[in-house]
Structures are given as C-alpha cells and as structure tokens.
Amino acid sequence: RRINAYQHKISDKIFFSLADGFFVVSTYLNEKIKRLSKGQPVLSLPLVATINKTISEFQEPFHPCCAYVGSLIPDEGIEMMIEAVAEIRSKYPELVVDIYGGFNNKEYNNTILNLLKRLKVEKHFKFKGNVPSDKIVEILSKYTLLLLPRPDTVISRAGFPGKLAEY
C-alpha cells in the first residue's frame, strides 16, 4: 500500500510538471489541481444543458412524472432517491418514478424492495427493466423530471455526472 501511494506521488509530480495547463469538471478538482500544480492555468468546464420547456411549464399545478436510468447497484444513490421520494410524497401524492435499468444481484434487489415497503412508497416506483440505448432519448423525452441521485463521495465531488450528458 505504501509503495502504491509513493508511486502516485511520483507520477503526480511528473504529470504536473509536464502539463501546460489543466481542464477540470468540478470545483473539487479545480482546488486540488491548483494546490498540486506549479502555477499552470486551470480552466473549469461547467456542465451546460438546454431544455425545450419554459419556466412557466414547470409551475403549479405540477404533476411530476420522473425517470431514473442506470444501474441498480449499491453506491449509485438508489436508496437516497427512494428516501427523497418518501419525504415529499405527502406534497406530491401522485408522484411516480419510472426506473429503467436492472439489478445485478438478488440481494440488492431485495434490499431495495424492503426499503420501498418499509417507507411505504411502493406505489411511487415502477421498475421498467432494461431498454435498448437507442430508445433512451425517446423514452426520457416523455418525463417531467429526470432523477440523478449523487451520493457524497470523492468520485462524485471530483467527477462529472456523465448521466447528465445522457439525459
């Protein structure tokens, strides 16, 4: 483990000394690179998205129909998404989240089903299974909201939510 950490320090020093500058996708990486670099320029590339709806289309009465597309595995924030729906269900009793994707193991499938039952939100979630990637844009265009749960991890702080580009 110490050898691995030492190798990273050496490779970071070499990498940072050879670079003319850096592009980053998060504030976390911006701060880290500025700390480690030798004064080279650091350019942040923020996520930009365009939508075809106006703000007035999202005002009350609001009948949310939501979708999540992705792997149904631990560390993807699925539990967090379910807990969030449980918190707002009284304000939006008609809220439904359609989930596209599959479970990779039966144990996690049971964990999620038990959580839905315990929080009494089973009726708010519909599992649609896997769909071909060429159909995703067509399917997602029918939803009011697209959900992207992001647990607070080093990866989520440092990274760029690639799911947004898909959405």
Side-chain angles (χ1 to χ4, degrees):
R1 194 171 209 186
R2 287 184 187 178
I3 291 172
N4 191 19
Y6 183 72
Q7 286 174 330
H8 282 285
K9 285 183 180 181
I10 291 172
S11 63
D12 284 353
K13 284 184 181 186
I14 292 169
F15 172 72
F16 285 108
S17 68
L18 295 174
D20 293 326
F22 303 91
F23 292 100
V24 297
V25 295
S26 68
T27 304
Y28 175 89
L29 284 178
N30 191 323
E31 292 167 3
K32 182 174 182 164
I33 298 296
K34 283 183 178 177
R35 240 184 9 259
L36 296 173
S37 70
K38 306 291 183 204
Q40 299 100 316
V42 179
L43 179 63
S44 291
L45 300 173
L47 176 67
V48 177
T50 59
I51 57 174
N52 294 328
K53 294 185 178 192
T54 64
I55 297 298
S56 63
E57 290 181 83
F58 292 110
Q59 294 174 355
E60 301 289 341
F62 180 64
H63 302 290
C65 188
C66 307
Y68 167 80
V69 175
S71 299
L72 300 174
I73 58 175
D75 302 328
E76 286 291 316
I78 306 303
E79 294 100 325
M80 182 173 58
M81 178 174 61
I82 293 168
E83 290 165 357
V85 168
E87 286 186 33
I88 65 169
R89 71 174 171 231
S90 62
K91 184 172 181 178
Y92 300 105
E94 72 282 358
L95 174 68
V96 174
V97 178
D98 288 344
I99 296 180
Y100 294 90
F103 289 98
N104 290 342
N105 74 55
K106 192 156 182 69
E107 184 179 322
Y108 189 64
N109 182 351
N110 291 335
T111 297
I112 293 302
L113 295 177
N114 289 335
L115 179 62
L116 292 170
K117 188 177 286 187
R118 184 171 55 82
L119 296 176
K120 298 178 173 78
V121 292
E122 303 103 308
K123 72 176 188 172
H124 297 283
F125 289 87
K126 306 274 187 265
F127 292 89
K128 303 289 191 166
N130 292 313
V131 294
S133 57
D134 63 336
K135 301 287 184 200
I136 293 292
V137 172
E138 178 186 340
I139 290 169
L140 293 181
S141 67
K142 299 174 181 156
Y143 288 90
T144 308
L145 297 171
L146 304 175
L147 304 180
L148 176 63
R150 295 275 290 180
D152 185 22
T153 65
V154 171
I155 292 171
S156 67
R157 279 182 260 132
F160 178 85
K163 186 68 62 193
L164 289 176
E166 291 176 27
Y167 284 178

